Amino acid sequence: MQGGNRSGVGLCLSGGGFRAAAFHIGVIRRLRELGMTSDIRTLSCVSGGAFVGAAFGSLISKHAGRNAIGERDWESGFVEPLRDLLRRDCRTLPIASTVPFNWILPQARVRALACVLHRHFPGTLADLPREPRIVMCATNLTLGVNWEFSRDRIGDYRSGYLTDAESWQQADAIVASACFPPVFGPMRVDRHPSSYSGGKYQGGDRDQLLRRIHLSDGGLYDNLALEPVWKTHRTIIVSDAGAPFPFWEGGGGVLGRMKRYASVLSRQSQSVRKRLLFHLAASGQAQVVYIPLAGVLGTFSPESPHAVLGSRRVIARLHRFRTDLDGLLPCEASLLEAYGYLMASERLRVASFTMPEQRTVSVPLVEEEAFRCLDGSSHRLSFRRFAKQLAERGTK
């Protein structure tokens, strides 16, 4: 599709667990300051980005449009609820409570995660706004394509589409988008084949396949959430919280090699998507802004409140940060938010967008404190905290 046939702004929020969600909060904050959130036609999100996309859509729906959202509403209705969610361990209870039978009944763990998230996302897909269109992406393991959850349709181009958005919980869509294997099994969609409209796959086994669709983490197919926007939008903004690809010195035995094989395959598919994205920009078909967590910010003076984010030691640790649904420490979340905000500001400036004055982001840490804060210790202690919480409940 040529650039003249494209229109609107598409914002893509990548996967990467709670690390990605915190980074995306900072990116969207900067876009809002620039007045660009009001131009977004489609917000496509996957895995960790789906938490932010659903929260953004819920905020707009509550205030009857983007232009009615003031600064106080923005903070209390979007930023603070997300920060509260990201401080919580949404991972451990579903995992620990289903250990005895997860491999036999994998749906139990997925349903347990949905129950945890339903408290934070109680609405249905029908409650999402008409504009911008919020699309949460999953991977259709059955037919091997990108599956979309949105207000107007649920499905993919091979299976066809369902239109009963009011019967789909937002929490279920987020779980389908974020159920990373093998920790979480796939989510199963049991619908009669006649429920689907259209669908290019018309093989003799179509009905049999559509009776039980299996959905997994959207990042398996497209961790950049590009699919819903790359063919149709004139401006494409990608917030990519994926980490740099690490080198490998061998070791780890059979499991280590299997993990490395999967990592290389994933890198290959994401590299192809990035090349496609940059080709769209180079050929003039679309204006592209790529905002990576794996990027490096410019140098800050020692007196700058952002100096800690210019430290290569801190940045390297930030890039290696865990990507699951374990709760973030406040300092971890604030560093990721600030990094997203500053990286968005820098990449938008390079892309020649009009830039109002940049805010000073509060990063109340010196380099050594930031480095210690990002050592991942909260992740290792989460199961211990969980066991302690269970013991405390038992004594009450």
Side-chain angles (χ1 to χ4, degrees):
M1 179 175 289
Q2 298 301 314
N5 297 323
R6 297 170 175 268
S7 64
V9 175
L11 173 61
C12 304
L13 304 181
S14 80
F18 281 179
R19 177 185 74 179
F23 181 80
H24 297 326
I25 292 172
V27 171
I28 292 181
R29 181 185 292 280
R30 187 52 174 158
L31 292 175
R32 183 173 183 272
E33 289 179 357
L34 295 170
M36 296 181 66
T37 52
S38 60
D39 298 327
I40 297 172
R41 178 177 137 203
T42 302
L43 193 160
S44 176
C45 46
V46 60
S47 193
F51 293 88
V52 180
F56 185 72
S58 297
L59 175 70
I60 293 173
S61 294
K62 288 177 183 177
H63 293 275
R66 288 170 278 191
N67 297 329
I69 302 173
E71 185 64 27
R72 181 177 299 179
D73 296 327
W74 168 261
E75 293 292 334
S76 64
F78 175 73
V79 176
E80 291 304 327
L82 271 177
R83 285 176 178 167
D84 177 66
L85 171 62
L86 299 185
R87 285 193 291 266
R88 299 176 182 273
D89 180 3
C90 296
R91 175 208 63 175
T92 304
L93 178 60
I95 293 176
S97 62
T98 57
V99 166
F101 49 84
N102 179 60
W103 294 107
I104 302 173
L105 301 171
Q107 289 300 299
R109 182 170 291 179
V110 174
R111 299 316 313 168
L113 179 58
C115 288
V116 170
L117 296 183
H118 183 72
R119 295 194 292 269
H120 301 276
F121 300 96
T124 69
L125 294 180
D127 296 323
L128 293 173
R130 295 187 182 278
E131 291 185 356
R133 181 171 179 254
I134 308 295
V135 183
M136 291 176 270
C137 300
T139 299
N140 181 339
L141 294 178
T142 304
L143 295 178
V145 292
N146 188 72
W147 174 284
E148 298 182 2
F149 290 96
S150 66
R151 177 191 173 107
D152 56 314
R153 65 182 191 179
I154 302 101
D156 61 68
Y157 77 95
R158 282 185 175 172
S159 306
Y161 293 94
L162 306 165
T163 57
D164 55 340
E166 67 282 350
S167 65
W168 291 82
Q169 296 295 316
Q170 292 179 28
D172 290 338
I174 295 171
V175 169
S177 184
C179 55
F180 189 80
V183 178
F184 290 95
M187 174 180 284
R188 199 173 67 208
V189 178
D190 299 316
R191 293 297 178 94
H192 193 276
S194 63
S195 303
Y196 293 86
S197 299
K200 289 191 174 182
Y201 182 70
Q202 297 295 328
D205 57 350
R206 173 180 168 84
D207 286 359
Q208 179 182 348
L209 293 174
L210 294 191
R211 288 180 189 278
R212 184 166 290 183
I213 296 287
H214 291 86
L215 304 179
S216 191
D217 189 291
L220 296 177
Y221 188 82
D222 176 14
N223 200 48
L224 297 180
L226 281 172
E227 279 295 308
V229 306
W230 74 270
K231 295 180 181 178
T232 54
H233 289 62
R234 185 70 183 94
T235 299
I236 302 173
I237 302 172
V238 178
S239 178
D240 179 10
F245 186 70
F247 296 133
W248 187 57
E249 298 179 354
V254 174
L255 291 178
R257 291 195 299 273
M258 295 298 292
K259 182 178 179 181
R260 188 60 178 180
Y261 297 151
S263 296
V264 172
L265 287 172
S266 175
R267 174 175 172 79
Q268 186 268 348
S269 65
Q270 295 308 313
S271 295
V272 169
R273 291 190 179 278
K274 289 179 184 178
R275 289 172 186 169
L276 170 64
L277 183 68
F278 299 143
H279 171 72
L280 293 177
S283 62
Q285 296 182 61
Q287 182 177 27
V288 172
V289 182
Y290 179 65
I291 306 170
L293 173 65
V296 177
L297 292 169
T299 303
F300 298 103
S301 68
E303 296 78 21
S304 170
H306 306 147
V308 66
L309 292 174
S311 161
R312 291 190 176 273
R313 285 205 315 156
V314 171
I315 292 170
R317 187 60 61 89
L318 200 68
H319 291 171
R320 297 196 300 271
F321 199 57
R322 64 188 186 276
T323 58
D324 60 8
L325 305 182
D326 188 14
L328 301 176
L329 296 173
C331 64
E332 294 171 336
S334 67
L335 283 168
L336 287 162
E337 277 188 48
Y339 202 73
Y341 176 91
L342 295 171
M343 184 59 72
S345 188
E346 183 169 298
R347 292 304 175 102
L348 288 164
R349 177 182 55 79
V350 171
S352 301
F353 282 91
T354 303
M355 301 295 289
E357 184 177 352
Q358 178 176 286
R359 290 188 327 121
T360 297
V361 184
S362 176
V363 189
L365 295 170
V366 298
E367 181 177 338
E368 289 303 322
E369 291 173 337
F371 189 71
R372 287 195 298 270
C373 145
L374 293 172
D375 68 357
S377 59
S378 63
H379 174 71
R380 293 194 299 272
L381 293 174
S382 60
F383 280 95
R384 194 178 304 170
R385 289 200 307 267
F386 175 69
K388 182 179 179 181
Q389 291 170 4
L390 286 182
E392 290 173 350
R393 291 175 187 172
T395 59
K396 293 181 180 180

